[in-house]
Amino acid sequence: MPGATPNPLRSELDRRLPRIAGPSVLVLFGVTGDLARKKLLPAIYDLANRGLLPPGFGLVGFARREWEHQDFAKEAYEAVREHARTPFREDVWRQLSEGVRFVQGELHDDDAFDTLADTVRELDADRGTGGNYAFYLSLPPKLFPTVVKQLKRSGLADQREDAWRRVIIEKPFGHDLESAKELNAVVDDVFPPQSVFRIDHYLGKETVQNIMALRFANTLFEPMWNRDLVDHVQITMAEDIGVGGRAGYYDGIGAARDVIQNHLLQLLALVAMEEPVSFSADAIRTEKEKVLSAVRLPADLAAGTARGQYAPGWQGGDEVCGYLEEKGIPDDSVTETYAALRLEVNTRRWAGVPFYLRTGKRLGRRVTEVALVFRRTPNQVFSQMDTEDMGQNALVLRIQPDEGVTMRFGSKVPGAAMEVRDVTMDFTYGQSFTEASPEAYERLILDVLIGDPPLFPRQQEVELSWEILDPVEEHWAKEGRPEPYESGTWGPESADAMLAREGRQWRRP
Ligand code: BG6
């Protein structure tokens, strides 16, 4: 009502209501891919199971396979049975599957897109999906131009007053700054910026969103969150798996383009940014962009970066092959499966504090964490002997798999002597909350259907991230084969040397 004063109590109540998607159709391109089977289809079911999808919901798969509607429904059923997070409920599945359709065709085929347009309109009529369509492009980016042109030609992308049309794109958003701009131009030509949702699934993780909660909802941490107290920051995303069946995607891309350009730089931005003026998408993105524009690479890229490629070794009791022996990888591949970078953030808060980022496949264990490592006390009144076990104080944000936060500090060992040793204080999600964390894709798909953009990076962030990475990639391109490291270890020696030169070492989570 114009001029009405907002009722604070009412908005309080609104926040507690579950966020439920309105009537809509999700059109999935790339339904036969790994991501659809392992993450997207199960996430859609989990949303339905949690009561967050409306009765007027449709799911349309588009692919080349000679499938009928029921074949796609069967595939989706199997994906759900195998990978869904929440228990299987026949009634939920039945309700969801009644809105499942499949369109067979090639991406360049006009007829197939006309059939798609007919299919979604039929869903509007049969299931009341309201003409609201989200197109999920779970496809290699080289296919984006064909799809978005087809969506435009068939009228499916037409923005209307009474219904929305959105597009969801998955990384990689290009392979360097130039290609990212080209890709964006293609999408931008058809969809207005507010209708483009770029998925960086790390932002959908509860523990990643908790970085902002921890920092900005508490008084405790912010005063120590700066160069006065922080010695350095380590951001680790370690995986124990190898490249698996993804050789075709991964080779030629490598660890830095695969996850540093997006997930790790997003983590850095959330850790280093200033408090946004609100939690609106624009306010958050603006703060993240300020950080990314302030990032500086080391002057000597050879000393301030490291990369490696996994060699044969042992993982979880199994003997595993090296990257070059993986199916589909050329014998002479120079793609890195491990990458580490030393960055600085040139702001008043962070000047001079190194941010060490590392990621790798076939490492010691699967763990993602952000560790703020604090300066040592300026004066140590306890004798060297009594404190020799003590490391630096640290605050560790445990992103996965053991979700939580750990504080490490020194404490007196019980006994007659004044001996001080490291202890930890832990917050663990599983112990503090009864509700399990939703999968990142549940949150992100729901946000797209609701039209809520804070967890989706905008193009500017993508471009700034490529600006950081491009010089590193150019430097590595001149260097030949990355240093081999044994599978099941913590990466190449050059990465350890990178920190050792500065009197530091990587954490062994
Ligand atoms: C993807 C990368 O973005 O993230 C994969 O392309 C990687 O290479 C995956 O395995 C890891 O995701 P998560 O959620 O398991 O840490």
Side-chain angles (χ1 to χ4, degrees), residues 171 201-202 205 237 239 241 246 249-250 258-259 263 361 366 400:
K171 67 172 200 63
H201 79 280
Y202 262 61
K205 292 182 191 273
M237 175 186 167
E239 294 188 277
I241 52 167
R246 297 169 76 227
Y249 156 76
Y250 197 84
D258 184 35
V259 301
H263 309 328
K361 296 214 182 269
R366 173 173 181 254
Q400 63 184 32

